[in-house]
Amino acid sequence: MRHIISNGRVIDPSQNLDKITNVYLSRGRVVAVADEAPEGFTADQEIDATGKWILPGLVDLQARLGEPGNQYAGNIASETQAAVAGGITSICCPPDTSPVNDSQAVTELLQRRARQAATAFIMPIGAITQGLEGERLSNSFSLKQAGCIALSQANKSIQNPLTLKNALEYNSTLNIPIFLRCEDTQLKNGGIAHSGPVSSRLGLPEIPPAAETTALARDLLLVEESGVKAHFSQISCARSVELIADAKKRGLPVTCDVAIHQLHLSEMDLLGFNSLFNVSPPLRGMSDKQALILGVKSGIIDAIVSDHTPLEKDDKLLPFGESAPGISGLETLLSLLLKLVQENTLELMTAIRCVTQMPAQIIDCQRGSLAEGSSADLCILDPEAIWTLETQNMLSEGKNTPFAGWEFIGKVEQTFFQGRPVYKSSQT
């Protein structure tokens, strides 16, 4: 099937492209982005995108899809539908599934289920240690051969430095990125909220920034010693931004990301005791939030993720301290990002780059671009559409979002995956 998407504003940071032109698709690939059709090209369908934006399909480095296992709501079919409704066509799935993705069999199961859904590109991340228990190393070579694009411990950091050192040194020979979420469990000490005036006022057990920064400092030293390509997931503190900046200045092969909700929310949002604001790492202070935004603007923070965690309704009905952490974020990643642009907090090209070109580079994946020959993954967005997030309209099985009732400007109208239309807004 051949498509022309005509007269749209094409925004593609991988080519530093921002212009009104046409996109030509054929056999699942981008044939050209140009004013004139390539020689001999005839389209089966033309889509008029006048007044619309055409963006590369977003690449999300952290989204849970509900299977295998039943600790999360939803499944690959439902969550990938939610993803493409938000313009996301490539998803990295962390290994905290049930069973844990620490074997070739689980990786292949994920890929098989993804092929059956055929809605978005699923990239499994394998576990660094067996069962995510932080003790015995998984068979990294086997996981890579099976198709894992990176290794991580999800939210269960390796506490034993010797185990982590061995893991980094071994995996440095495999040329596979290591995703590290930094958290010292002893300093966390069972805390559930950022250590600050709000946690003191509410009497919530505290998580000091040092729980993240001391672990990050340790991990950076071990990364420097091993030379492994490391990506730090979901940093949340101002001091963490400084540590990553210093590491990059010294030439370490490190990158990092931040969850989109950390750029909009802070500890002040906990004052209502609403468990929908319970996330891990916790919402930090206003100064941390500002430092994270500056980190994105300056390029110290490379990517922005949804950290999508779909949960059952009951998981959030519990009191704040007993509720499960996490936000259902696939359908709001792009809209929250555009909100930062509309508030003049981020430049448009920087924002789009953090969810397309940069995450694709981090995992060395040929996605997140509309360059000639690339996979025809893209979304068409109406930048003027005003809409309000209502949980009953969400496609994800997880309705656990603190952004319900928020008004957004800009909505995905259509999404293409490998040249096939996989989503069309009911309002189109």
Side-chain angles (χ1 to χ4, degrees), residues 194-273:
H194 171 66
S195 176
V198 175
S199 61
S200 298
R201 179 174 175 182
L202 300 179
L204 294 171
E206 300 178 340
I207 305 175
E212 176 174 300
T213 55
T214 55
L216 175 57
R218 179 201 71 171
D219 291 2
L220 283 169
L221 289 171
L222 293 175
V223 165
E224 185 171 17
E225 217 172 79
S226 69
V228 73
K229 182 181 176 184
H231 176 75
F232 291 92
S233 302
Q234 303 162 72
I235 64 169
S236 65
C237 302
R239 183 67 181 125
S240 297
V241 179
E242 294 174 1
L243 288 168
I244 294 288
D246 179 64
K248 287 188 171 185
K249 202 176 292 179
R250 290 188 291 116
L252 268 63
V254 298
T255 51
C256 68
D257 67 53
V258 63
I260 184 67
H261 50 258
Q262 296 282 358
L263 304 179
H264 279 276
L265 307 174
S266 74
E267 61 171 340
M268 303 304 291
D269 292 291
L270 271 56
L271 284 169
F273 257 127

Side-chain angles (χ1 to χ4, degrees), residues 35 44 46 89 145 159 178 206 238 249 251 258 322 413:
D35 295 337
D44 300 304
E46 180 169 354
T89 54
Q145 290 296 104
Q159 301 300 307
I178 302 296
E206 300 178 340
K249 202 176 292 179
V258 63
E322 299 170 30
E413 283 196 347

Side-chain angles (χ1 to χ4, degrees), residues 48-125:
D48 183 7
T50 303
K52 310 294 168 56
W53 294 358
I54 304 171
L55 310 177
L58 273 57
V59 181
D60 191 351
L61 293 178
Q62 173 92 347
R64 295 171 176 85
L65 302 177
E67 64 176 312
N70 57 5
Q71 73 271 45
Y72 300 117
N75 51 53
I76 286 177
S78 66
E79 302 316 290
T80 51
Q81 281 291 338
V84 294
I88 300 167
T89 54
S90 299
I91 302 167
C92 296
C93 181
D96 52 351
T97 48
S98 180
V100 169
N101 185 11
D102 59 2
S103 69
Q104 191 169 347
V106 179
T107 302
E108 289 174 350
L109 171 64
L110 275 164
Q111 292 174 322
R112 189 163 57 249
R113 297 286 293 119
R115 282 194 296 273
Q116 289 169 349
T119 310
F121 189 47
I122 308 299
M123 295 172 282
I125 298 176

Side-chain angles (χ1 to χ4, degrees), residues 67-371:
E67 64 176 312
N70 57 5
Q71 73 271 45
Y72 300 117
N75 51 53
I76 286 177
S78 66
E79 302 316 290
T80 51
Q81 281 291 338
V84 294
I88 300 167
T89 54
S90 299
I91 302 167
C92 296
C93 181
D96 52 351
T97 48
S98 180
V100 169
N101 185 11
D102 59 2
S103 69
Q104 191 169 347
V106 179
T107 302
E108 289 174 350
L109 171 64
L110 275 164
Q111 292 174 322
R112 189 163 57 249
R113 297 286 293 119
R115 282 194 296 273
Q116 289 169 349
T119 310
F121 189 47
I122 308 299
M123 295 172 282
I125 298 176
I128 298 174
T129 63
Q130 295 178 30
L132 294 174
E133 293 176 353
E135 296 174 358
R136 292 184 297 171
L137 301 187
S138 302
N139 187 336
S140 309
F141 180 78
S142 170
L143 289 168
K144 183 180 179 186
Q145 290 296 104
C148 286
I149 50 86
L151 300 173
S152 93
Q153 281 288 108
N155 285 349
K156 298 183 72 173
S157 307
I158 296 176
Q159 301 300 307
N160 185 327
L162 179 59
T163 303
L164 179 60
K165 180 174 182 292
N166 290 339
L168 298 180
E169 289 179 348
Y170 175 69
N171 289 306
S172 66
T173 63
L174 295 180
N175 192 29
I176 184 169
I178 302 296
F179 282 25
L180 297 170
R181 161 81 197 283
C182 299
E183 187 173 76
D184 186 307
T185 55
Q186 289 185 313
L187 285 169
K188 182 181 179 183
N189 194 27
I192 55 172
H194 171 66
S195 176
V198 175
S199 61
S200 298
R201 179 174 175 182
L202 300 179
L204 294 171
E206 300 178 340
I207 305 175
E212 176 174 300
T213 55
T214 55
L216 175 57
R218 179 201 71 171
D219 291 2
L220 283 169
L221 289 171
L222 293 175
V223 165
E224 185 171 17
E225 217 172 79
S226 69
V228 73
K229 182 181 176 184
H231 176 75
F232 291 92
S233 302
Q234 303 162 72
I235 64 169
S236 65
C237 302
R239 183 67 181 125
S240 297
V241 179
E242 294 174 1
L243 288 168
I244 294 288
D246 179 64
K248 287 188 171 185
K249 202 176 292 179
R250 290 188 291 116
L252 268 63
V254 298
T255 51
C256 68
D257 67 53
V258 63
I260 184 67
H261 50 258
Q262 296 282 358
L263 304 179
H264 279 276
L265 307 174
S266 74
E267 61 171 340
M268 303 304 291
D269 292 291
L270 271 56
L271 284 169
F273 257 127
N274 187 340
S275 59
L276 290 173
F277 293 91
N278 183 6
V279 293
S280 177
L283 299 175
R284 299 287 184 182
M286 289 299 293
S287 59
D288 293 298
K289 177 181 157 185
Q290 290 304 319
L292 293 171
I293 290 170
L294 288 174
V296 174
K297 291 172 82 168
S298 65
I300 295 168
I301 295 175
D302 304 88
I304 299 173
V305 302
S306 72
D307 192 23
H308 176 69
T309 308
L311 296 171
E312 300 284 353
K313 187 177 180 182
D314 289 349
D315 291 324
K316 287 294 189 182
L317 289 177
L318 296 167
F320 188 93
E322 299 170 30
S323 63
I327 287 176
S328 179
L330 286 171
E331 289 162 86
T332 49
L333 173 61
L334 181 55
S335 298
L336 288 168
L337 205 53
L338 293 178
K339 199 171 187 66
L340 292 172
V341 174
Q342 290 148 10
E343 294 168 350
N344 295 318
T345 302
L346 290 180
E347 292 182 355
L348 178 60
M349 194 63 89
T350 300
I352 301 301
R353 181 177 284 114
C354 285
V355 290
T356 55
Q357 179 191 6
M358 292 311 299
Q361 279 186 11
I362 289 166
I363 54 176
D364 195 20
C365 160
Q366 303 299 314
R367 303 274 169 168
S369 170
L370 295 175

